[in-house]
Amino acid sequence: MNFQERKKKILTALDDVESLTVFELAEILEASPATIRRDLGDIAEEGLLIRTHGGAMKMENPVLTGFSEKSGVNNPVKEQIAEKAASFVQDGDIIFLDCGSTVFQMCRFLKKKSIRVITNSLPILAELIDVPSIQINLIGGELNKARKAVHGDKAVQHINGYHAHKAFIGVDGLSTENGLTAHSEHESTITTAFIRNAGQVMLLCDASKIGKDSYVKFAELSAIHTLITNADAAKTTALQQSGLHVEIAG
Amino acid sequence: MNFQERKKKILTALDDVESLTVFELAEILEASPATIRRDLGDIAEEGLLIRTHGGAMKMENPVLTGFSEKSGVNNPVKEQIAEKAASFVQDGDIIFLDCGSTVFQMCRFLKKKSIRVITNSLPILAELIDVPSIQINLIGGELNKARKAVHGDKAVQHINGYHAHKAFIGVDGLSTENGLTAHSEHESTITTAFIRNAGQVMLLCDASKIGKDSYVKFAELSAIHTLITNADAAKTTALQQSGLHVEIAG
DNA sequence: TTACTTTTGATCAATATTAATCAATTTTGA
DNA sequence: TCAAAATTGATTAATATTGATCAAAAGTAA
């Protein structure tokens, strides 16, 4: 049995019971306590259960309190980009936050600011709801449970009702030929709405996506004011020659 | 039993009572007073209870990290009303769910239905997001962190964009003279919007609120189609004579 | 205030749990 | 196919938890 299978079984087992010991789980999964401990550590890091001394406890609301986005928490590149992006946010700003994992990483660098955040991302909502200095405006519409974000026409209408100083967005691909591209149309319509209604558009994009193209072409390069990336000069010169302002993180 | 479990039990115990002594807790948790003291010290440090000489006191506004709508979970009356209310929901229904604690209790009785839920309540969102048969439409707008719900003009506009088969709402006061009354205007505008856009309006209201009036008068009795309550005939006859259909829970 | 009782915090020993390490095995990728 | 990487389980040293004990501190009543 592999980690994913065990993870599923552990979480299922915790649906029924309040808590389980390492040894109980070892017996249920027919694995050694050492493996269970490693698993529990990993799953707890994802925020889907609470690690206790000797076992694990069920998480009351795993969906909103713990997230797959945390998977990127130990990605130093995304973290650097996020920190650089957050440095452009000033007290008093009204900002749009998109629902990508790099944008999500900005949260921890925003907690000391006095700002208003407009977002369609539930992880961001959960992360910032406890910060008194941040006002949250939640974008309404159909909930996409897999992405833990709100999408659809209604959401676009909602965004159109606001103007923000800055929008922080992500993409799946970025190139001089095709501009901004995304995997899914649902997300690209939201991102397009953010672009349309923001004074400044900041694109957070790690080196791996530069020069790559994805499925939906949704915006020109000129729509972006600043690209924040970890890519080196070699990769960004072409973009800069197209008039894009590039900020290197790290 | 480990610290996490004891912590949960201690806080749950303090939901019901104003304060508890170290020895009472030691007996409840089957742990030594020394352990309880250590626990209380740690929990107090987190700001979730107030340490007293000899025990601990409930904290009025604990900084809840999750969205669990604890109040009312062990309230059998609210549970009965919620179960009765949920029995009116059929597969295929589109329903509005208000952000009160009794309405929240409906969630556990809705999990087996195939429905679409439109709500402004984050606890309801958190509770239902994992249910595959339930589509969620989140109402957008300004987030009220204290109430863990979305309010404001934008939210009302959002609701006006939809029509639901049924709306399940709560009130703070209900009387033949003043109709429906609420503590705050923010909530009453949302409730009014639900009433306006629903085919049937179901009001969930325990006996304690019947005959009482609150601050904001926001709807006539005639706006309600069905009152679901635990009140006995003596209290409801006047309402029934005003043409209200009453369902008794329990 | 003073004498008395209760509660607390510190320390300690017993026990349980964990993290780190390593060898064996399986999986992955060339 | 083979070599490299990842996963697993066993071992062991390090760490955490617990309850008991007791002196110090806090509360109580005269």
Side-chain angles (χ1 to χ4, degrees), chain B residues 1-2 6 31-32 35 38 53:
Chain B
M1 188 157 30
N2 60 46
R6 289 195 305 272
S32 73
T35 302
R38 268 186 287 250
H53 198 78

Side-chain angles (χ1 to χ4, degrees), chain B residues 128-167:
Chain B
L128 297 180
I129 192 171
D130 267 340
V131 184
S133 61
I134 297 183
Q135 280 280 336
I136 300 175
N137 184 297
L138 193 57
I139 295 166
E142 283 295 322
L143 187 65
N144 183 327
K145 295 180 183 186
R147 299 202 178 274
K148 301 207 169 69
V150 174
H151 288 145
D153 283 352
K154 200 80 187 174
V156 171
Q157 280 174 38
H158 184 116
I159 297 168
N160 287 340
Y162 292 97
H163 178 84
H165 298 115
K166 290 150 194 162

Side-chain angles (χ1 to χ4, degrees), chain A residues 1-3 6 31-32 34-35 38 53:
Chain A
M1 187 156 34
N2 60 38
F3 171 64
R6 289 196 305 273
S32 73
T35 302
R38 270 185 285 248
H53 198 78

